[in-house]
PDB file of all heavy atoms in Angstrom:
ATOM      1  N   TRP A 671      20.476  -1.628   9.076  1.00 98.00           N
ATOM      2  CA  TRP A 671      19.150  -1.002   8.888  1.00 98.00           C
ATOM      3  C   TRP A 671      18.585  -0.582  10.240  1.00 98.00           C
ATOM      4  O   TRP A 671      18.175   0.568  10.438  1.00 98.00           O
ATOM      5  CB  TRP A 671      18.249  -2.022   8.187  1.00 98.00           C
ATOM      6  CG  TRP A 671      16.848  -1.583   7.890  1.00 98.00           C
ATOM      7  CD1 TRP A 671      16.319  -0.329   8.025  1.00 98.00           C
ATOM      8  CD2 TRP A 671      15.795  -2.418   7.392  1.00 98.00           C
ATOM      9  NE1 TRP A 671      14.988  -0.342   7.642  1.00 98.00           N
ATOM     10  CE2 TRP A 671      14.642  -1.607   7.253  1.00 98.00           C
ATOM     11  CE3 TRP A 671      15.701  -3.772   7.047  1.00 98.00           C
ATOM     12  CZ2 TRP A 671      13.432  -2.112   6.777  1.00 98.00           C
ATOM     13  CZ3 TRP A 671      14.488  -4.260   6.573  1.00 98.00           C
ATOM     14  CH2 TRP A 671      13.381  -3.441   6.445  1.00 98.00           C
ATOM     15  N   TRP A 672      18.607  -1.523  11.208  1.00 98.00           N
ATOM     16  CA  TRP A 672      18.052  -1.235  12.533  1.00 98.00           C
ATOM     17  C   TRP A 672      18.754  -0.052  13.188  1.00 98.00           C
ATOM     18  O   TRP A 672      18.104   0.828  13.753  1.00 98.00           O
ATOM     19  CB  TRP A 672      18.213  -2.461  13.438  1.00 98.00           C
ATOM     20  CG  TRP A 672      17.379  -3.641  13.034  1.00 98.00           C
ATOM     21  CD1 TRP A 672      16.219  -3.615  12.324  1.00 98.00           C
ATOM     22  CD2 TRP A 672      17.647  -5.025  13.332  1.00 98.00           C
ATOM     23  NE1 TRP A 672      15.752  -4.899  12.162  1.00 98.00           N
ATOM     24  CE2 TRP A 672      16.593  -5.780  12.766  1.00 98.00           C
ATOM     25  CE3 TRP A 672      18.657  -5.696  14.017  1.00 98.00           C
ATOM     26  CZ2 TRP A 672      16.531  -7.175  12.869  1.00 98.00           C
ATOM     27  CZ3 TRP A 672      18.598  -7.074  14.122  1.00 98.00           C
ATOM     28  CH2 TRP A 672      17.546  -7.810  13.547  1.00 98.00           C
ATOM     29  N   ALA A 673      20.079  -0.064  13.102  1.00 98.00           N
ATOM     30  CA  ALA A 673      20.822   1.001  13.782  1.00 98.00           C
ATOM     31  C   ALA A 673      20.476   2.360  13.181  1.00 98.00           C
ATOM     32  O   ALA A 673      20.423   3.364  13.888  1.00 98.00           O
ATOM     33  CB  ALA A 673      22.321   0.731  13.681  1.00 98.00           C
ATOM     34  N   GLY A 674      20.205   2.366  11.882  1.00 97.00           N
ATOM     35  CA  GLY A 674      19.878   3.635  11.223  1.00 97.00           C
ATOM     36  C   GLY A 674      18.441   4.086  11.445  1.00 97.00           C
ATOM     37  O   GLY A 674      18.061   5.173  11.011  1.00 97.00           O
ATOM     38  N   LEU A 675      17.639   3.249  12.113  1.00 95.00           N
ATOM     39  CA  LEU A 675      16.230   3.582  12.319  1.00 95.00           C
ATOM     40  C   LEU A 675      15.976   4.426  13.560  1.00 95.00           C
ATOM     41  O   LEU A 675      14.830   4.707  13.887  1.00 95.00           O
ATOM     42  CB  LEU A 675      15.417   2.284  12.476  1.00 95.00           C
ATOM     43  CG  LEU A 675      14.991   1.564  11.211  1.00 95.00           C
ATOM     44  CD1 LEU A 675      14.271   0.283  11.578  1.00 95.00           C
ATOM     45  CD2 LEU A 675      14.091   2.455  10.382  1.00 95.00           C
ATOM     46  N   GLN A 676      17.027   4.763  14.270  1.00 89.00           N
ATOM     47  CA  GLN A 676      16.837   5.469  15.539  1.00 89.00           C
ATOM     48  C   GLN A 676      16.329   6.888  15.325  1.00 89.00           C
ATOM     49  O   GLN A 676      16.522   7.476  14.277  1.00 89.00           O
ATOM     50  CB  GLN A 676      18.182   5.546  16.285  1.00 89.00           C
ATOM     51  CG  GLN A 676      18.937   4.253  16.318  1.00 89.00           C
ATOM     52  CD  GLN A 676      18.133   3.139  16.925  1.00 89.00           C
ATOM     53  OE1 GLN A 676      17.285   3.382  17.776  1.00 89.00           O
ATOM     54  NE2 GLN A 676      18.371   1.907  16.500  1.00 89.00           N
ATOM     55  N   ASP A 677      15.682   7.395  16.382  1.00 86.00           N
ATOM     56  CA  ASP A 677      15.401   8.827  16.408  1.00 86.00           C
ATOM     57  C   ASP A 677      16.744   9.546  16.442  1.00 86.00           C
ATOM     58  O   ASP A 677      17.743   8.984  16.835  1.00 86.00           O
ATOM     59  CB  ASP A 677      14.674   9.215  17.707  1.00 86.00           C
ATOM     60  CG  ASP A 677      13.336   8.530  17.832  1.00 86.00           C
ATOM     61  OD1 ASP A 677      12.748   8.189  16.793  1.00 86.00           O
ATOM     62  OD2 ASP A 677      12.893   8.336  18.975  1.00 86.00           O
ATOM     63  N   GLY A 678      16.718  10.798  16.086  1.00 94.00           N
ATOM     64  CA  GLY A 678      17.930  11.597  16.270  1.00 94.00           C
ATOM     65  C   GLY A 678      18.965  11.392  15.190  1.00 94.00           C
ATOM     66  O   GLY A 678      20.132  11.734  15.375  1.00 94.00           O
ATOM     67  N   MET A 679      18.575  10.825  14.040  1.00 96.00           N
ATOM     68  CA  MET A 679      19.502  10.713  12.913  1.00 96.00           C
ATOM     69  C   MET A 679      19.523  12.055  12.169  1.00 96.00           C
ATOM     70  O   MET A 679      18.635  12.885  12.330  1.00 96.00           O
ATOM     71  CB  MET A 679      19.068   9.576  11.975  1.00 96.00           C
ATOM     72  CG  MET A 679      19.150   8.184  12.585  1.00 96.00           C
ATOM     73  SD  MET A 679      20.836   7.670  12.973  1.00 96.00           S
ATOM     74  CE  MET A 679      21.460   7.270  11.332  1.00 96.00           C
ATOM     75  N   PRO A 680      20.533  12.270  11.299  1.00 97.00           N
ATOM     76  CA  PRO A 680      20.618  13.563  10.615  1.00 97.00           C
ATOM     77  C   PRO A 680      19.415  13.873   9.724  1.00 97.00           C
ATOM     78  O   PRO A 680      19.127  15.036   9.455  1.00 97.00           O
ATOM     79  CB  PRO A 680      21.883  13.431   9.767  1.00 97.00           C
ATOM     80  CG  PRO A 680      22.667  12.337  10.405  1.00 97.00           C
ATOM     81  CD  PRO A 680      21.679  11.411  11.040  1.00 97.00           C
ATOM     82  N   SER A 681      18.725  12.833   9.236  1.00 97.00           N
ATOM     83  CA  SER A 681      17.565  13.083   8.380  1.00 97.00           C
ATOM     84  C   SER A 681      16.556  11.966   8.540  1.00 97.00           C
ATOM     85  O   SER A 681      16.918  10.798   8.594  1.00 97.00           O
ATOM     86  CB  SER A 681      18.000  13.153   6.904  1.00 97.00           C
ATOM     87  OG  SER A 681      16.865  13.083   6.066  1.00 97.00           O
ATOM     88  N   ARG A 682      15.289  12.347   8.600  1.00 95.00           N
ATOM     89  CA  ARG A 682      14.231  11.334   8.632  1.00 95.00           C
ATOM     90  C   ARG A 682      13.815  10.913   7.239  1.00 95.00           C
ATOM     91  O   ARG A 682      12.978  10.043   7.072  1.00 95.00           O
ATOM     92  CB  ARG A 682      12.991  11.905   9.327  1.00 95.00           C
ATOM     93  CG  ARG A 682      13.138  11.947  10.797  1.00 95.00           C
ATOM     94  CD  ARG A 682      11.772  11.933  11.488  1.00 95.00           C
ATOM     95  NE  ARG A 682      12.016  12.208  12.899  1.00 95.00           N
ATOM     96  CZ  ARG A 682      11.497  13.229  13.555  1.00 95.00           C
ATOM     97  NH1 ARG A 682      10.642  14.024  12.985  1.00 95.00           N
ATOM     98  NH2 ARG A 682      11.810  13.429  14.819  1.00 95.00           N
ATOM     99  N   GLU A 683      14.355  11.586   6.236  1.00 97.00           N
ATOM    100  CA  GLU A 683      13.916  11.307   4.861  1.00 97.00           C
ATOM    101  C   GLU A 683      14.609  10.093   4.257  1.00 97.00           C
ATOM    102  O   GLU A 683      14.212   9.600   3.218  1.00 97.00           O
ATOM    103  CB  GLU A 683      14.179  12.526   3.965  1.00 97.00           C
ATOM    104  CG  GLU A 683      13.333  13.736   4.316  1.00 97.00           C
ATOM    105  CD  GLU A 683      11.839  13.446   4.271  1.00 97.00           C
ATOM    106  OE1 GLU A 683      11.394  12.742   3.346  1.00 97.00           O
ATOM    107  OE2 GLU A 683      11.127  13.905   5.188  1.00 97.00           O
ATOM    108  N   VAL A 684      15.684   9.639   4.901  1.00 97.00           N
ATOM    109  CA  VAL A 684      16.442   8.527   4.336  1.00 97.00           C
ATOM    110  C   VAL A 684      15.778   7.215   4.750  1.00 97.00           C
ATOM    111  O   VAL A 684      15.831   6.832   5.910  1.00 97.00           O
ATOM    112  CB  VAL A 684      17.912   8.550   4.824  1.00 97.00           C
ATOM    113  CG1 VAL A 684      18.686   7.365   4.264  1.00 97.00           C
ATOM    114  CG2 VAL A 684      18.574   9.865   4.440  1.00 97.00           C
ATOM    115  N   ALA A 685      15.126   6.559   3.810  1.00 97.00           N
ATOM    116  CA  ALA A 685      14.470   5.278   4.097  1.00 97.00           C
ATOM    117  C   ALA A 685      15.339   4.173   3.499  1.00 97.00           C
ATOM    118  O   ALA A 685      15.444   4.048   2.275  1.00 97.00           O
ATOM    119  CB  ALA A 685      13.073   5.254   3.505  1.00 97.00           C
ATOM    120  N   TYR A 686      15.941   3.404   4.377  1.00 98.00           N
ATOM    121  CA  TYR A 686      16.910   2.399   3.936  1.00 98.00           C
ATOM    122  C   TYR A 686      16.375   1.488   2.823  1.00 98.00           C
ATOM    123  O   TYR A 686      17.031   1.310   1.790  1.00 98.00           O
ATOM    124  CB  TYR A 686      17.386   1.600   5.157  1.00 98.00           C
ATOM    125  CG  TYR A 686      18.269   0.438   4.831  1.00 98.00           C
ATOM    126  CD1 TYR A 686      19.628   0.618   4.598  1.00 98.00           C
ATOM    127  CD2 TYR A 686      17.757  -0.856   4.738  1.00 98.00           C
ATOM    128  CE1 TYR A 686      20.449  -0.451   4.284  1.00 98.00           C
ATOM    129  CE2 TYR A 686      18.565  -1.929   4.432  1.00 98.00           C
ATOM    130  CZ  TYR A 686      19.909  -1.731   4.205  1.00 98.00           C
ATOM    131  OH  TYR A 686      20.706  -2.794   3.884  1.00 98.00           O
ATOM    132  N   PRO A 687      15.167   0.883   2.980  1.00 98.00           N
ATOM    133  CA  PRO A 687      14.726  -0.035   1.920  1.00 98.00           C
ATOM    134  C   PRO A 687      14.588   0.657   0.566  1.00 98.00           C
ATOM    135  O   PRO A 687      14.823   0.039  -0.469  1.00 98.00           O
ATOM    136  CB  PRO A 687      13.349  -0.515   2.408  1.00 98.00           C
ATOM    137  CG  PRO A 687      13.312  -0.217   3.860  1.00 98.00           C
ATOM    138  CD  PRO A 687      14.194   0.972   4.080  1.00 98.00           C
ATOM    139  N   GLU A 688      14.250   1.947   0.599  1.00 98.00           N
ATOM    140  CA  GLU A 688      14.116   2.650  -0.681  1.00 98.00           C
ATOM    141  C   GLU A 688      15.472   2.916  -1.322  1.00 98.00           C
ATOM    142  O   GLU A 688      15.610   2.898  -2.542  1.00 98.00           O
ATOM    143  CB  GLU A 688      13.336   3.952  -0.498  1.00 98.00           C
ATOM    144  CG  GLU A 688      11.848   3.668  -0.366  1.00 98.00           C
ATOM    145  CD  GLU A 688      11.052   4.857   0.131  1.00 98.00           C
ATOM    146  OE1 GLU A 688      11.438   6.004  -0.183  1.00 98.00           O
ATOM    147  OE2 GLU A 688      10.054   4.625   0.841  1.00 98.00           O
ATOM    148  N   VAL A 689      16.466   3.160  -0.472  1.00 98.00           N
ATOM    149  CA  VAL A 689      17.813   3.364  -1.016  1.00 98.00           C
ATOM    150  C   VAL A 689      18.310   2.058  -1.642  1.00 98.00           C
ATOM    151  O   VAL A 689      18.834   2.036  -2.763  1.00 98.00           O
ATOM    152  CB  VAL A 689      18.778   3.858   0.086  1.00 98.00           C
ATOM    153  CG1 VAL A 689      20.207   3.915  -0.430  1.00 98.00           C
ATOM    154  CG2 VAL A 689      18.336   5.231   0.599  1.00 98.00           C
ATOM    155  N   VAL A 690      18.111   0.945  -0.948  1.00 98.00           N
ATOM    156  CA  VAL A 690      18.534  -0.349  -1.502  1.00 98.00           C
ATOM    157  C   VAL A 690      17.798  -0.608  -2.818  1.00 98.00           C
ATOM    158  O   VAL A 690      18.387  -1.042  -3.810  1.00 98.00           O
ATOM    159  CB  VAL A 690      18.259  -1.504  -0.506  1.00 98.00           C
ATOM    160  CG1 VAL A 690      18.571  -2.853  -1.141  1.00 98.00           C
ATOM    161  CG2 VAL A 690      19.079  -1.308   0.767  1.00 98.00           C
ATOM    162  N   ARG A 691      16.513  -0.288  -2.801  1.00 98.00           N
ATOM    163  CA  ARG A 691      15.736  -0.550  -4.014  1.00 98.00           C
ATOM    164  C   ARG A 691      16.226   0.300  -5.187  1.00 98.00           C
ATOM    165  O   ARG A 691      16.284  -0.165  -6.325  1.00 98.00           O
ATOM    166  CB  ARG A 691      14.245  -0.295  -3.741  1.00 98.00           C
ATOM    167  CG  ARG A 691      13.411  -0.850  -4.847  1.00 98.00           C
ATOM    168  CD  ARG A 691      11.929  -0.849  -4.591  1.00 98.00           C
ATOM    169  NE  ARG A 691      11.275  -1.169  -5.868  1.00 98.00           N
ATOM    170  CZ  ARG A 691       9.995  -1.045  -6.119  1.00 98.00           C
ATOM    171  NH1 ARG A 691       9.184  -0.633  -5.177  1.00 98.00           N
ATOM    172  NH2 ARG A 691       9.502  -1.343  -7.300  1.00 98.00           N
ATOM    173  N   ALA A 692      16.595   1.540  -4.910  1.00 98.00           N
ATOM    174  CA  ALA A 692      17.093   2.416  -5.985  1.00 98.00           C
ATOM    175  C   ALA A 692      18.361   1.832  -6.613  1.00 98.00           C
ATOM    176  O   ALA A 692      18.526   1.838  -7.838  1.00 98.00           O
ATOM    177  CB  ALA A 692      17.367   3.812  -5.434  1.00 98.00           C
ATOM    178  N   TRP A 693      19.241   1.309  -5.771  1.00 99.00           N
ATOM    179  CA  TRP A 693      20.487   0.732  -6.306  1.00 99.00           C
ATOM    180  C   TRP A 693      20.212  -0.563  -7.065  1.00 99.00           C
ATOM    181  O   TRP A 693      20.780  -0.816  -8.118  1.00 99.00           O
ATOM    182  CB  TRP A 693      21.486   0.491  -5.173  1.00 99.00           C
ATOM    183  CG  TRP A 693      22.181   1.738  -4.729  1.00 99.00           C
ATOM    184  CD1 TRP A 693      21.612   2.845  -4.173  1.00 99.00           C
ATOM    185  CD2 TRP A 693      23.585   2.022  -4.838  1.00 99.00           C
ATOM    186  NE1 TRP A 693      22.572   3.792  -3.916  1.00 99.00           N
ATOM    187  CE2 TRP A 693      23.785   3.314  -4.300  1.00 99.00           C
ATOM    188  CE3 TRP A 693      24.682   1.313  -5.301  1.00 99.00           C
ATOM    189  CZ2 TRP A 693      25.049   3.904  -4.246  1.00 99.00           C
ATOM    190  CZ3 TRP A 693      25.945   1.891  -5.244  1.00 99.00           C
ATOM    191  CH2 TRP A 693      26.123   3.171  -4.722  1.00 99.00           C
ATOM    192  N   HIS A 694      19.348  -1.385  -6.514  1.00 98.00           N
ATOM    193  CA  HIS A 694      19.025  -2.630  -7.222  1.00 98.00           C
ATOM    194  C   HIS A 694      18.360  -2.314  -8.563  1.00 98.00           C
ATOM    195  O   HIS A 694      18.636  -2.961  -9.573  1.00 98.00           O
ATOM    196  CB  HIS A 694      18.117  -3.527  -6.371  1.00 98.00           C
ATOM    197  CG  HIS A 694      17.847  -4.851  -7.028  1.00 98.00           C
ATOM    198  ND1 HIS A 694      16.842  -5.024  -7.954  1.00 98.00           N
ATOM    199  CD2 HIS A 694      18.478  -6.057  -6.931  1.00 98.00           C
ATOM    200  CE1 HIS A 694      16.853  -6.276  -8.385  1.00 98.00           C
ATOM    201  NE2 HIS A 694      17.837  -6.929  -7.782  1.00 98.00           N
ATOM    202  N   ARG A 695      17.517  -1.299  -8.551  1.00 98.00           N
ATOM    203  CA  ARG A 695      16.844  -0.930  -9.803  1.00 98.00           C
ATOM    204  C   ARG A 695      17.863  -0.540 -10.876  1.00 98.00           C
ATOM    205  O   ARG A 695      17.718  -0.911 -12.049  1.00 98.00           O
ATOM    206  CB  ARG A 695      15.862   0.221  -9.542  1.00 98.00           C
ATOM    207  CG  ARG A 695      15.224   0.723 -10.809  1.00 98.00           C
ATOM    208  CD  ARG A 695      14.210   1.823 -10.542  1.00 98.00           C
ATOM    209  NE  ARG A 695      14.128   2.677 -11.725  1.00 98.00           N
ATOM    210  CZ  ARG A 695      13.457   3.821 -11.770  1.00 98.00           C
ATOM    211  NH1 ARG A 695      12.821   4.264 -10.702  1.00 98.00           N
ATOM    212  NH2 ARG A 695      13.423   4.528 -12.876  1.00 98.00           N
ATOM    213  N   ALA A 696      18.897   0.184 -10.486  1.00 98.00           N
ATOM    214  CA  ALA A 696      19.914   0.582 -11.462  1.00 98.00           C
ATOM    215  C   ALA A 696      20.604  -0.655 -12.047  1.00 98.00           C
ATOM    216  O   ALA A 696      20.855  -0.731 -13.255  1.00 98.00           O
ATOM    217  CB  ALA A 696      20.931   1.510 -10.803  1.00 98.00           C
ATOM    218  N   LEU A 697      20.875  -1.628 -11.200  1.00 98.00           N
ATOM    219  CA  LEU A 697      21.510  -2.869 -11.689  1.00 98.00           C
ATOM    220  C   LEU A 697      20.549  -3.632 -12.597  1.00 98.00           C
ATOM    221  O   LEU A 697      20.929  -4.174 -13.633  1.00 98.00           O
ATOM    222  CB  LEU A 697      21.924  -3.756 -10.509  1.00 98.00           C
ATOM    223  CG  LEU A 697      22.945  -3.163  -9.542  1.00 98.00           C
ATOM    224  CD1 LEU A 697      23.089  -4.066  -8.311  1.00 98.00           C
ATOM    225  CD2 LEU A 697      24.308  -2.975 -10.214  1.00 98.00           C
ATOM    226  N   TRP A 698      19.299  -3.672 -12.172  1.00 98.00           N
ATOM    227  CA  TRP A 698      18.271  -4.404 -12.928  1.00 98.00           C
ATOM    228  C   TRP A 698      18.078  -3.775 -14.310  1.00 98.00           C
ATOM    229  O   TRP A 698      18.020  -4.457 -15.323  1.00 98.00           O
ATOM    230  CB  TRP A 698      16.967  -4.382 -12.126  1.00 98.00           C
ATOM    231  CG  TRP A 698      15.838  -5.162 -12.701  1.00 98.00           C
ATOM    232  CD1 TRP A 698      15.680  -6.524 -12.693  1.00 98.00           C
ATOM    233  CD2 TRP A 698      14.681  -4.630 -13.372  1.00 98.00           C
ATOM    234  NE1 TRP A 698      14.496  -6.864 -13.310  1.00 98.00           N
ATOM    235  CE2 TRP A 698      13.853  -5.722 -13.738  1.00 98.00           C
ATOM    236  CE3 TRP A 698      14.253  -3.344 -13.691  1.00 98.00           C
ATOM    237  CZ2 TRP A 698      12.637  -5.569 -14.405  1.00 98.00           C
ATOM    238  CZ3 TRP A 698      13.037  -3.194 -14.353  1.00 98.00           C
ATOM    239  CH2 TRP A 698      12.247  -4.298 -14.705  1.00 98.00           C
ATOM    240  N   GLU A 699      18.004  -2.450 -14.326  1.00 98.00           N
ATOM    241  CA  GLU A 699      17.811  -1.777 -15.614  1.00 98.00           C
ATOM    242  C   GLU A 699      19.020  -1.968 -16.525  1.00 98.00           C
ATOM    243  O   GLU A 699      18.883  -1.980 -17.740  1.00 98.00           O
ATOM    244  CB  GLU A 699      17.536  -0.289 -15.400  1.00 98.00           C
ATOM    245  CG  GLU A 699      16.179  -0.060 -14.764  1.00 98.00           C
ATOM    246  CD  GLU A 699      15.805   1.416 -14.672  1.00 98.00           C
ATOM    247  OE1 GLU A 699      16.607   2.206 -14.128  1.00 98.00           O
ATOM    248  OE2 GLU A 699      14.720   1.761 -15.133  1.00 98.00           O
ATOM    249  N   ASN A 700      20.189  -2.115 -15.928  1.00 98.00           N
ATOM    250  CA  ASN A 700      21.373  -2.365 -16.749  1.00 98.00           C
ATOM    251  C   ASN A 700      21.463  -3.826 -17.191  1.00 98.00           C
ATOM    252  O   ASN A 700      22.327  -4.182 -17.977  1.00 98.00           O
ATOM    253  CB  ASN A 700      22.650  -1.988 -15.985  1.00 98.00           C
ATOM    254  CG  ASN A 700      22.913  -0.482 -16.043  1.00 98.00           C
ATOM    255  OD1 ASN A 700      22.373   0.218 -16.902  1.00 98.00           O
ATOM    256  ND2 ASN A 700      23.741   0.009 -15.140  1.00 98.00           N
TER     257      ASN A 700
END
Side-chain angles (χ1 to χ4, degrees):
W671 180 8
W672 292 335
L675 277 177
Q676 314 303 331
D677 298 334
M679 294 295 284
S681 167
R682 283 204 190 121
E683 293 303 319
V684 178
Y686 174 82
E688 283 167 32
V689 173
V690 174
R691 193 171 169 192
W693 282 63
H694 184 275
R695 175 178 153 188
L697 299 171
W698 184 76
E699 291 186 307
N700 279 341

